[in-house]
Amino acid sequence: MHTVFSIRKTLLGLLANTCNSLTAEEFAIEAFPPFALPRESVHGDLSSNAAMMMAKRLRRPPKEVAQIFCEALETSELVNHVEIAGPGFLNIFLSDFVFRKILKEILTELGGYGRSAVHSGKRALVEFVSANPTGPLHVGHIRGAVVGDTVAELMMAVGYEVQREYYYNDAGAQMRNLGLSVQARYRELYGLPFTFPEDGYKGAYIVEIAEEIRREHGDSRLEEGWEWFTEYAAERLMKRISEDLAALRISFDSFVSEKSLYESGEVKSTLLDLTAKHAIYKKDNAIWLRSTLKGDDKDRVLVKSDGEPTYVTPDIAYHRFKLRRGFDRLVNVMGHDHHSQAERVRYALELLGLETSSLYYLLTQMVSLKAGDRLMKFSKREGELITMREMIEDVSADVTRYFFIQRSYSAQMTFDWELAKSRSMDNPVYYLQYVHARACSIAAKAVEKGISADIGEDLDWSILASPRERELLIKLAHYPAVILDAADRLEPHLLTNYLEDLAKTFHAYYQAQRVLNESDPQGSKPRFLLVQAVRQVMENALGILKVTAPEEM
């Protein structure tokens, strides 16, 4: 167990036992608020509002409870002292023994530091991207792709067995329009009459696919129906999508197609079971879901009067299929514009009597692109595309991944193209990589000076006593908790927030403190080991984000 988890468990256990000794009521550790990390080191290494939270249950004033908690916490070897602030806040200052243990833990576990087995034995399915093969991936797909992949990495880091899945629509009107678009361009290459579909796809990639057909098949496909062109184009586009995702360091364990749900009878059986549950009915030759029973403002059509299912129908079947596969958590990453569709899928599953508490929707907000003062626009249908591959090649996979994960996916974001390309401290990726490279350069100088990274028993750890050093140590201690928190809450931006905070804290320390000082050899090694610990944690965190950690820049 990581030190930070044992500290939390021990200190919260002390508070629970103290409360149990004051009253007949039973207090569990889970009833207490988690410890917070103070913004300023003068307010301690940990802080808690537990006294104010428990005062009512204990029928005592918050300040009195705070004093009782203070005395209990100071009995632990983990705690140096506790200060009471304001109406009853507890500012906890940890002992030097804790910081020595944290540093040794990082330098012993190395790449494993931060990873845990908290959720060992549990399985998670993360479905993301899931773009239809009607065109190459563009910048509108990147946020969901990076969010999904990073969530999967975080869940793996805390013990989940994770499966990444891609669900795509290879049936329906969009795919018919794709086939008709390619067919029209193919006929155009031979100077033959053609009708371009009103909702067709106009991008240059459609012409490229038509030219590929001509190279491979000549004019032998002129009599084929649109279905053949759809199948050919979809296969080529799925291959390109996989290649573009690989350039962004993303791969999938499984692919599920909409067509397979029809062919396997999954859609048909879902409709039959909804009928048996009296969850659907016929009206105006259409089939309707009784979604108003679950709070919807009106019932929704599942099958139109012409017999064609709506988009939500195969999605219901797909999620029913997911639920049967025994995963502990089912994470769906979708664009915010799919919010109502996600709700209707959940309504249908509940009307089927299925438990949906394992189902989590991460709805990503809109992304705007900016180049200087100019907003950039893109449209797949009109062919005005800025593809994923173009962005990766122009600004790098590192920058692309980091920029799209830096802020909460639930907030709108603007991607600043010029900032993304800049090699300056204003670019957060450059800044983080620079700080990591700086730590590596200190390690190289230490080797030159004959200072090893071996942890010896004769080190004077008390040298690491300055406020900046304590601040760095407590931030390093919290890293495993940040990983667990980000994984449990499915909020990967918590890790980027942590990284940037750690980098700024280290940068300030480096500016103020000479690490390798020939006139202070005794102090040089502990400080060098502290720098090594910072470097290791930064490397570990960047690894989860799949951003490279260069040793020199």
Side-chain angles (χ1 to χ4, degrees), residues 239-441:
K239 182 175 183 292
R240 179 171 174 177
I241 285 169
S242 296
E243 290 170 351
D244 289 350
L245 288 168
L248 198 56
R249 302 164 187 158
I250 296 173
S251 62
F252 286 86
D253 303 300
S254 55
F255 291 82
V256 176
S257 78
E258 183 178 313
K259 187 187 291 184
S260 71
L261 298 175
Y262 286 101
E263 292 173 347
S264 67
E266 193 75 45
V267 175
K268 183 179 180 180
S269 66
T270 298
L271 289 170
L272 287 172
D273 288 348
L274 284 167
T275 301
K277 293 284 187 180
H278 305 289
I280 57 177
Y281 62 93
K282 264 194 170 184
K283 187 180 79 171
D284 301 330
N285 293 321
I287 296 176
W288 299 71
L289 176 70
R290 298 183 191 274
S291 53
T292 49
L293 294 176
K294 288 294 177 180
D296 204 352
D297 59 343
K298 61 181 180 181
D299 290 342
R300 304 291 172 171
V301 175
L302 292 187
V303 182
K304 294 182 280 189
S305 58
D306 62 1
E308 184 177 348
T310 58
Y311 287 126
V312 75
T313 306
D315 281 1
I316 295 167
Y318 171 52
H319 284 81
R320 184 173 177 240
F321 169 58
K322 279 186 183 179
L323 287 168
R324 287 206 308 269
R325 290 155 68 188
F327 290 97
D328 297 282
R329 291 187 100 177
L330 296 169
V331 181
N332 286 18
V333 183
M334 309 168 70
H336 193 266
D337 54 328
H338 292 281
H339 177 264
S340 58
Q341 186 175 339
E343 282 189 338
R344 287 158 204 160
V345 168
R346 193 185 290 274
Y347 293 155
L349 295 173
E350 291 173 354
L351 287 167
L352 283 166
L354 298 173
E355 174 58 55
T356 62
S357 60
S358 63
L359 185 58
Y360 297 83
Y361 283 102
L362 310 187
L363 302 176
T364 60
Q365 275 287 0
M366 283 180 56
V367 176
S368 301
L369 299 181
K370 184 178 77 168
D373 297 326
R374 181 176 63 89
L375 284 176
M376 306 163 71
K377 296 183 179 180
F378 53 93
S379 164
K380 185 199 292 187
R381 203 174 289 279
E382 295 302 318
E384 298 169 354
L385 284 172
I386 300 171
T387 67
M388 176 186 286
R389 181 60 69 97
E390 286 171 335
M391 176 173 279
I392 295 169
E393 290 176 351
D394 197 38
V395 305
S396 81
D398 283 342
V399 171
T400 301
R401 286 190 67 98
Y402 192 89
F403 271 46
F404 279 94
I405 208 72
Q406 187 183 12
R407 300 286 178 259
S408 170
Y409 57 77
S410 62
Q412 293 187 12
M413 68 165 282
T414 299
F415 185 96
D416 188 331
W417 204 291
E418 290 187 0
L419 177 62
K421 292 183 68 173
S422 72
R423 292 176 61 81
S424 72
M425 293 300 188
D426 293 328
N427 181 332
V429 180
Y430 182 87
Y431 179 70
L432 292 173
Q433 291 178 328
Y434 172 82
V435 169
H436 178 268
R438 171 62 67 186
C440 289
S441 73

Side-chain angles (χ1 to χ4, degrees), residues 133-282:
T134 54
L137 295 179
H138 55 71
V139 293
H141 296 118
I142 298 178
R143 194 174 201 184
V146 179
V147 167
D149 194 53
T150 309
V151 163
E153 287 293 312
L154 285 164
M155 296 183 84
M156 288 170 63
V158 295
Y160 281 98
E161 178 188 333
V162 177
Q163 182 171 328
R164 292 167 168 85
E165 187 156 281
Y166 190 119
Y167 169 64
Y168 62 98
N169 174 357
D170 56 350
Q174 288 186 349
M175 299 306 293
R176 182 169 59 248
N177 284 330
L178 172 66
L180 289 169
S181 300
V182 175
Q183 183 185 44
R185 295 304 183 209
Y186 178 62
R187 292 181 63 83
E188 184 181 26
L189 291 175
Y190 286 97
L192 297 173
F194 66 90
T195 302
F196 198 84
E198 184 178 345
D199 292 327
Y201 295 92
K202 301 173 183 176
Y205 66 93
I206 297 294
V207 177
E208 291 169 6
I209 293 172
E211 289 173 339
E212 188 177 340
I213 294 172
R214 183 170 66 170
R215 285 194 302 272
E216 290 183 9
H217 301 280
D219 61 1
S220 66
R221 299 298 178 178
L222 288 170
E223 300 305 316
E224 295 282 1
W226 62 265
E227 295 87 351
W228 185 89
F229 290 91
T230 293
E231 186 175 344
Y232 183 96
E235 182 183 330
R236 295 307 186 275
L237 287 168
M238 279 304 298
K239 182 175 183 292
R240 179 171 174 177
I241 285 169
S242 296
E243 290 170 351
D244 289 350
L245 288 168
L248 198 56
R249 302 164 187 158
I250 296 173
S251 62
F252 286 86
D253 303 300
S254 55
F255 291 82
V256 176
S257 78
E258 183 178 313
K259 187 187 291 184
S260 71
L261 298 175
Y262 286 101
E263 292 173 347
S264 67
E266 193 75 45
V267 175
K268 183 179 180 180
S269 66
T270 298
L271 289 170
L272 287 172
D273 288 348
L274 284 167
T275 301
K277 293 284 187 180
H278 305 289
I280 57 177
Y281 62 93
K282 264 194 170 184

Side-chain angles (χ1 to χ4, degrees), residues 87-148:
F89 287 104
L90 298 171
N91 293 335
I92 303 165
F93 293 79
L94 298 174
S95 66
D96 291 341
F97 152 77
V98 171
F99 293 112
R100 291 197 298 273
K101 188 176 180 183
I102 290 164
L103 205 52
K104 288 181 178 179
E105 185 177 313
I106 297 168
L107 297 173
T108 301
E109 295 188 11
L110 300 175
Y113 181 70
R115 295 181 176 271
S116 65
V118 174
H119 294 295
S120 179
K122 295 180 183 177
R123 298 171 64 236
L125 179 75
V126 183
E127 183 226 326
F128 60 109
V129 182
S130 296
N132 298 334
T134 54
L137 295 179
H138 55 71
V139 293
H141 296 118
I142 298 178
R143 194 174 201 184
V146 179
V147 167

